Amino acid sequence: MTLHIFAHGLPDPDGPARPVAGRQFDALSELETLAGVSDRAAFWRRFNHLPPQYRVRRGQEALHRHVHDRIAKGELTPEETPKERALRALKRATTAFIEPSDPTAQPLPDILDALARSADAARDAGATALEIIDASEGLEH
């Protein structure tokens, strides 16, 4: 990750931000807005005591926590592409298959169907074979 240079103690709002909640942000200001930062200077001033190479990284970690908290509280819906949504559904179906609520039970046909449907939906949404394998933790479809 490229670290921003703090001019007057603040990072460049147009500088790149790391991905969060399944989205890639083109500018740090977009991530600040999503996190609900209303006073940019006050937010970033909290990290001025850190060495320059850690300031933005720590600040972005705090922004990520704010975004995830807002999603958990239902204040914010993460914008997902159809592909991201399909891959997330595939990951959920894989988890239900690998870690069933009753480990002694045989995999139910509906769990296997959900796994197959999720893989097909991800493929139809444009996911690559590697992305599907990653999301399904290597299960063959």
Side-chain angles (χ1 to χ4, degrees):
M1 179 179 97
T2 304
L3 293 177
H4 304 276
I5 295 172
F6 272 54
H8 309 294
L10 292 176
D12 176 12
D14 295 325
R18 295 186 305 183
V20 61
R23 292 178 61 191
Q24 174 64 53
F25 293 90
D26 296 325
L28 192 57
S29 57
E30 293 176 39
L31 185 55
E32 291 169 345
T33 301
L34 193 63
V37 172
S38 55
D39 187 347
R40 181 167 206 276
F43 175 84
W44 287 102
R45 201 174 297 123
R46 298 176 359 195
F47 306 100
N48 277 348
H49 68 282
L50 295 170
Q53 66 268 28
Y54 298 114
R55 290 178 187 171
V56 173
R57 191 182 69 184
R58 290 282 175 83
Q60 286 199 14
E61 288 169 0
L63 289 172
H64 286 216
R65 278 193 304 278
H66 287 307
V67 170
H68 285 290
D69 288 346
R70 292 188 71 196
I71 291 170
K73 292 176 185 171
E75 298 173 4
L76 184 65
T77 303
E79 297 289 327
E80 291 180 309
T81 64
K83 180 172 100 172
E84 292 167 338
R85 192 170 21 264
L87 288 171
R88 194 164 50 81
L90 177 57
K91 192 173 276 290
R92 272 197 317 269
T94 302
T95 302
F97 178 74
I98 293 175
E99 302 169 9
S101 54
D102 180 7
T104 62
Q106 292 293 323
L108 298 173
D110 56 333
I111 292 175
L112 296 174
D113 288 343
L115 194 57
R117 276 194 313 274
S118 298
D120 291 341
R123 196 173 296 112
D124 293 343
T128 65
L130 191 57
E131 289 171 323
I132 292 171
I133 290 169
D134 285 346
S136 63
E137 302 195 21
L139 293 176
E140 291 185 25
H141 301 288

